[in-house]
Amino acid sequence: MVQLSRILFRKYGNFVDNLRVYVRGGSGGMGLPRLGGHGGNGGDVWVVASKKVTLKKVKDKYPQKRFLAGAGANSSVRALKGERGEDKEILAPVGVTVTADDGKIVGDLNAEGDRLKVAKGGYGGSFHSAFEPTKGQIKQIRLDLKLIADLGLVGYPNAGKSSLLTAMSNATPQIADYAFTTLRPEIGKLMYKDYKQISVADLPGLIEGAHINKGMGHKFLKHLERTKQLMFVVDVSGFQLASKTPFRSAFEAIQLLTKELELFKEELVSKPALLVVNKMDLPDAEDKFAELKEQLQNPAEFSHLLADDMIPKNYMTFRHVVPVSALTGSGIDYLKSCMRESLDEDDAMENKDVHQQRLQTLQTLKHNSHTSI
């Protein structure tokens, strides 16, 4: 069985996951009509992905949130071709989507060093513009962070997501016997003995209505968009958020979580998923787990347990259903191996597809070269 040697845990204190900033490209330099001199172009503004920064650091370092590129130099007798203005770079964390004020996506920064031009500099004055320069672009843009992780934990508050991460390792997230214990997203890095790493995003527990932004639902649901797979975590005994809210069985919790994801973004429910059934140390847990397995085999038969508007269009199918006790550690090793197996399965499929595409390209090139001969 694959063992974890350690887990690295990263907390997002005072978490900032979106930032609106003002950007302005540099103005072009004046041309020189007497000698036909060309003014320098203004500098551009770029957003560049870096693993060393957070949006909070950007916000703290630039409280005005204004980024201006340098102006192009005027043409002169000494330098007929004016120097280009200096570019301005905004370092942003990997995983940022850049959006214009009108809502159009400029692009994504998915890897270290990815770059996006967000404001173009103006042109220097030349013969074609009567030696008059143009101004640089001025925009308001939004930097929106979506955490990138292999697995995203999905569950209601107090399902035991934080305890689960602790049981897998020596990590110490904030845990207490009340509903909202994870108050900001956290990323756990699981290191296996063969040095394979798996990252797990632990998001604050969802509440019913998260898709319409209840309990800051949108703020956290969006982080699931870039996780490769989902890992549902439910309490085998069911869950009740407060005395005034209805009690939900484990089966109902799974369907309601599915519905929340579906209403937020339907593509989320097509992601590969695992189900962790926690708190198996509780009395009658085995009976409740047996009942849950039966319900999951034919969920439509048990849809009468839910109100019509709470039934998802499509029921989730789970690659693995793993009973665990985060308290006693029972089932944790098996869960780790299931996580690894599920991700390795996807990697193998991805590599197979890439190999097939390359083979097809080579065959096409070979066919074309024979035809041309």
Side-chain angles (χ1 to χ4, degrees):
M1 188 177 289
V2 183
Q3 295 290 323
L4 276 175
S5 54
R6 63 196 174 105
I7 182 170
L8 310 170
F9 212 74
R10 178 178 171 195
K11 289 197 176 199
Y12 290 80
N14 301 325
F15 188 67
V16 175
D17 62 2
N18 66 78
L19 204 58
R20 191 165 177 261
V21 298
Y22 171 94
V23 293
R24 189 179 77 198
S27 297
M30 291 289 293
L32 188 64
R34 188 161 52 93
L35 297 173
H38 196 304
N41 291 338
D44 304 321
V45 183
W46 296 81
V47 182
V48 182
S50 168
K51 289 178 180 172
K52 294 177 182 175
V53 298
T54 63
L55 286 183
K56 185 176 187 304
K57 283 183 184 174
V58 177
K59 187 181 177 185
D60 292 346
K61 189 175 179 181
Y62 303 97
Q64 302 296 320
K65 295 178 281 186
R66 290 168 65 86
F67 299 90
L68 319 175
N74 294 336
S75 172
S76 66
V77 175
R78 288 185 178 180
L80 285 178
K81 172 70 176 165
E83 274 194 33
R84 190 179 183 281
E86 200 174 323
D87 286 350
K88 180 71 179 175
E89 290 188 349
I90 308 168
L91 293 182
V94 173
V96 154
T97 296
V98 181
T99 314
D101 239 11
D102 60 4
K104 284 184 182 170
I105 292 175
V106 179
D108 295 318
L109 300 172
N110 291 325
E112 176 88 15
D114 281 0
R115 300 166 63 83
L116 286 171
K117 189 188 291 185
V118 291
K120 189 173 168 51
Y123 292 108
S126 67
F127 173 78
H128 301 291
S129 64
F131 300 97
E132 289 293 322
T134 60
K135 289 184 176 179
Q137 289 179 330
I138 295 174
K139 293 179 183 177
Q140 295 272 5
I141 60 165
R142 187 175 290 279
L143 307 177
D144 195 31
L145 177 66
K146 294 173 185 174
L147 298 177
I148 298 174
D150 294 313
L151 286 154
L153 297 184
V154 183
Y156 286 121
N158 224 18
K161 301 192 308 303
S162 298
S163 305
L164 194 62
L165 276 175
T166 307
M168 288 188 202
S169 65
N170 56 2
T172 52
Q174 177 188 357
I175 301 164
D177 197 20
Y178 52 89
F180 294 94
T181 48
T182 302
L183 301 173
R184 54 181 180 256
E186 296 167 349
I187 292 240
K189 284 263 187 197
L190 285 70
M191 177 86 83
Y192 286 79
K193 282 195 170 177
D194 61 357
Y195 301 106
K196 164 85 174 179
Q197 283 192 12
I198 287 178
S199 53
V200 183
D202 179 19
L203 308 178
L206 299 178
I207 64 172
E208 289 176 39
H211 69 279
I212 52 169
N213 219 17
K214 276 192 188 173
M216 299 171 81
H218 284 190
K219 190 173 173 65
F220 300 125
L221 276 170
K222 69 173 188 178
H223 291 297
L224 292 173
E225 290 181 52
R226 288 194 185 176
T227 60
K228 291 180 185 174
Q229 300 188 6
L230 305 176
M231 190 153 85
F232 281 51
V233 184
V234 296
D235 182 332
V236 69
S237 299
F239 171 68
Q240 186 172 19
L241 181 64
S243 56
K244 291 179 182 176
T245 58
F247 173 82
R248 303 293 187 193
S249 69
F251 174 75
E252 288 172 299
I254 292 162
Q255 305 319 325
L256 289 168
L257 286 167
T258 305
K259 186 69 175 177
E260 289 296 345
L261 299 189
E262 196 176 74
L263 290 170
F264 176 71
K265 200 160 198 178
E266 209 163 324
E267 302 92 274
L268 283 178
V269 296
S270 63
K271 286 179 183 278
L274 290 80
L275 172 62
V276 181
V277 184
N278 195 14
K279 307 192 183 180
M280 289 298 294
D281 51 283
L282 295 175
D284 302 326
E286 290 296 341
D287 291 343
K288 284 172 183 168
F289 180 61
E291 184 185 357
L292 175 62
K293 281 202 296 184
E294 186 189 339
Q295 290 168 328
L296 290 174
Q297 279 171 357
N298 201 344
E301 269 188 28
F302 298 91
S303 59
H304 64 275
L305 297 170
L306 297 164
D308 288 347
D309 61 348
M310 292 180 176
I311 300 169
K313 282 186 196 171
N314 296 295
Y315 294 103
M316 290 292 294
T317 52
F318 297 103
R319 287 186 174 178
H320 300 277
V321 177
V322 188
V324 304
S325 167
L327 185 68
T328 67
S330 167
I332 297 295
D333 281 346
Y334 179 59
L335 171 61
K336 293 171 194 171
S337 62
C338 289
M339 290 160 65
R340 175 71 185 266
E341 186 185 314
S342 186
L343 287 162
D344 284 353
E345 191 181 316
D346 274 7
D347 288 345
M349 287 293 291
E350 207 173 294
N351 291 338
K352 190 179 176 184
D353 289 344
V354 170
H355 181 69
Q356 290 280 61
Q357 283 170 2
R358 284 179 183 165
L359 201 63
Q360 207 167 346
T361 307
L362 282 170
Q363 284 170 344
T364 306
L365 288 169
K366 196 174 176 182
H367 174 73
N368 291 345
S369 64
H370 282 309
T371 310
S372 59
I373 292 167

